[in-house]
Amino acid sequence: MDYLEIIILVLSFVVLLGLGVPIAWTLGISGIVTLLLNVESISAFTTIAQQMATGLNSFTLLAIPFFILAGEVMNRGGIAKRLIDFAKTLVGSLPGGLAYVNIFAAMMFGAIAGSAVAAASAIGSILGPRMEEEGYTKEFSAAVNITSSTTGLIIPPSNILIIYSLASGGVSIAALFVAGYIPGILTGLLLMGVAAFWAKRKNFAVGERSNLSEVFSTFIKAFPSLLLLIIVIGGIIAGIFTATEAAAIAVVYTLILGFVYREVTVKNLPDILMSSVNTTAIVMLLIATSISMSWVMSFENIPQDISAALLAMSDSKIVILLMINFILLFVGTFMDMTPAVLIFTPIFLPIVTELGIDPLHFGIMMVLNLSIGLCTPPVGTILFVGVGVAGTTIEKVIKPLLPLFLAMIIALLLITFFPQLTLWLPEVFGL
């Protein structure tokens, strides 16, 4: 087995990343360098360009810019505030109530917006000051906000699940969306358990109990936002429209909602569109270069070499899954989710399929695993957003983050070794 291509690929990637080259450029250059081992320079550059263009030629991927735009409208449309108010009437009176509110609101907002960054920014900016007023430390508030924001990547609709569907060669997006509910809710509940323990230990304040009329009032205000989930997910499951069509409907619905709430005006639209375009451009460049690197790896037979090496170490399903999880946890600390899913799905999916693991189950496991990486340095996007919104530093946030990390890892292990947590709902809906 020739490991030269693997060594060159990994070495060039690590060196470029260490030099501070943006991840998208790092992926593209590493792919070209590896391809030059066996292909002439003109052919190598032409092939990479072709693969980047071909990789983006997908109707499924059109859902991503629509969901990004919908998320941007939601972020500015007063939706987060209404969800927070509703969450506070439900769980705000429990010990560590505002921590619960943060997690619960992040689960709802992240599910609606499909963006962990949007959830961390919107929920953190609103709840952070409130939590400080009631005696919570900045660091604890930031830690809760950072980890809870990732639940929206698992609870649908989720852009990263769409990308996994593309990378896996066609796992049903509808099935992935439905499969994400129980793992996402389980992760949120475990985070709430840690937050309750920490709040009791630190004697954080307990909020006032809300009466039924307050719960009903805040629910009515939040209901139009929550209705979007029913429209999007219900429509996809029922086969009324595709994920891409659902994303377009989400844009129209959120715009109407933003105008009704009077939080979005015609003057805001250029800024909203420009922000969405910038985010979409970054995501699409990452997807294009990731797909080109994935093609190079396939051309050089690197996935087959890695598969053979892993299977040679053990034929135990448990051992292989633990090794894959460990590798993905490590990868997630320095690589964004999008390229990680596009590059490592073709490597690990054949291995787990050979072991009899459902691709649907593996997809949820992979996304949950890489979500943890978003909360860790040195490239943790949500970590940087969370500490920035809270006005604190990474060094101070690490201590309260550690028990929350542990909760997420426990959720990952449960999802990994109890596949019915992922597969039960898709089976119920016949997906």
Side-chain angles (χ1 to χ4, degrees):
M1 187 183 297
D2 186 5
Y3 289 106
L4 178 61
E5 289 85 358
I6 298 176
I7 294 170
I8 295 297
L9 182 68
V10 173
L11 187 62
S12 60
F13 181 85
V14 171
V15 169
L16 289 167
L17 206 61
L19 291 172
V21 178
I23 183 69
W25 291 98
T26 297
L27 291 166
I29 294 170
S30 299
I32 290 172
V33 170
T34 306
L35 194 59
L36 285 172
L37 292 173
N38 298 308
V39 177
E40 292 182 359
S41 58
I42 294 178
S43 298
F45 281 96
T46 303
T47 301
I48 292 295
Q50 287 176 338
Q51 291 303 319
M52 289 175 64
T54 304
L56 293 179
N57 185 21
S58 167
F59 181 74
T60 301
L61 283 179
L62 193 58
I64 293 176
F66 281 127
F67 275 129
I68 288 173
L69 178 55
E72 188 66 29
V73 175
M74 291 176 205
N75 200 18
R76 305 194 190 194
I79 291 175
K81 183 180 181 302
R82 287 165 174 80
L83 293 176
I84 287 171
D85 290 341
F86 175 51
K88 193 171 182 180
T89 60
L90 291 179
V91 295
S93 61
L94 299 172
L98 282 185
Y100 284 158
V101 173
N102 194 315
I103 296 166
F104 192 42
M107 290 168 67
M108 290 189 292
F109 185 82
I112 294 171
S115 168
V117 172
S121 176
I123 305 298
S125 60
I126 296 172
L127 265 181
R130 290 193 194 180
M131 294 179 77
E132 280 188 68
E133 288 173 6
E134 297 196 16
Y136 295 80
T137 63
K138 277 186 180 181
E139 292 70 33
F140 176 72
S141 302
V144 171
N145 185 41
I146 289 163
T147 49
S148 63
S149 297
T150 62
T151 57
L153 297 171
I154 310 162
I155 301 173
S158 167
N159 286 337
I160 199 65
L161 291 178
I162 295 172
I163 291 171
Y164 173 77
S165 173
L166 177 72
S168 64
V171 174
S172 167
I173 294 176
L176 284 166
F177 278 5
V178 173
Y181 276 110
I182 292 177
I185 293 170
L186 175 63
T187 304
L189 291 175
L190 288 171
L191 291 174
M192 286 182 182
V194 172
F197 173 79
W198 193 273
K200 190 172 183 180
R201 183 181 172 186
K202 299 292 183 179
N203 293 317
F204 288 143
V206 177
E208 296 181 3
R209 184 180 297 276
S210 301
N211 56 45
L212 285 176
S213 64
E214 289 174 323
V215 174
F216 182 74
S217 174
T218 55
F219 170 72
I220 292 299
K221 291 177 182 176
F223 179 73
S225 306
L226 297 172
L227 185 62
L228 178 62
L229 281 177
I230 299 172
I231 294 172
V232 171
I233 305 302
I236 293 173
I237 293 172
I240 298 172
F241 37 71
T242 65
T244 303
E245 292 164 345
I249 290 169
V251 171
V252 175
Y253 185 87
T254 52
L255 278 172
I256 293 171
L257 212 57
F259 284 119
V260 170
Y261 287 160
R262 297 184 179 179
E263 300 279 354
V264 174
T265 65
V266 174
K267 290 182 179 179
N268 299 142
L269 291 181
D271 286 341
I272 291 172
L273 291 171
M274 186 57 69
S275 179
S276 301
V277 168
N278 287 336
T279 304
T280 300
I282 293 168
V283 172
M284 289 304 177
L285 181 59
L286 273 172
I287 291 173
T289 52
S290 300
I291 288 173
S292 70
M293 179 186 265
S294 182
W295 181 89
V296 170
M297 293 171 70
S298 178
F299 178 78
E300 301 289 356
N301 289 320
I302 291 175
Q304 292 86 338
D305 291 344
I306 295 175
S307 298
L310 277 176
L311 292 172
M313 293 181 187
S314 174
D315 57 358
S316 167
K317 182 187 295 187
I318 293 175
V319 173
I320 293 293
L321 284 175
L322 285 174
M323 286 195 294
I324 289 174
N325 270 321
F326 178 78
I327 292 169
L328 290 175
L329 283 170
F330 174 71
V331 166
T333 62
F334 65 86
M335 186 181 288
D336 191 73
M337 286 186 77
T338 297
V341 168
L342 287 167
I343 290 168
F344 288 93
T345 298
I347 294 175
F348 292 137
L349 188 57
I351 300 173
V352 298
T353 303
E354 187 172 329
L355 293 172
I357 296 167
D358 195 301
L360 187 61
H361 171 217
F362 177 70
I364 300 299
M365 183 193 91
M366 186 180 207
V367 170
L368 177 56
N369 189 311
L370 293 171
S371 295
I372 299 173
L374 294 176
C375 309
T376 59
V379 191
T381 311
I382 308 304
L383 177 63
F384 291 113
V385 171
V387 297
V389 169
T392 183
T393 63
I394 293 174
E395 292 79 8
K396 293 179 180 178
V397 170
I398 290 299
K399 185 178 179 180
L401 263 179
L402 290 176
L404 294 163
F405 278 147
L406 180 60
M408 295 181 78
I409 290 173
I410 291 171
L412 173 62
L413 292 174
L414 289 172
I415 298 306
T416 299
F417 296 112
F418 295 94
Q420 280 306 113
L421 290 172
T422 300
L423 301 177
W424 178 67
L425 274 182
E427 288 174 0
V428 168
F429 286 98
L431 298 172

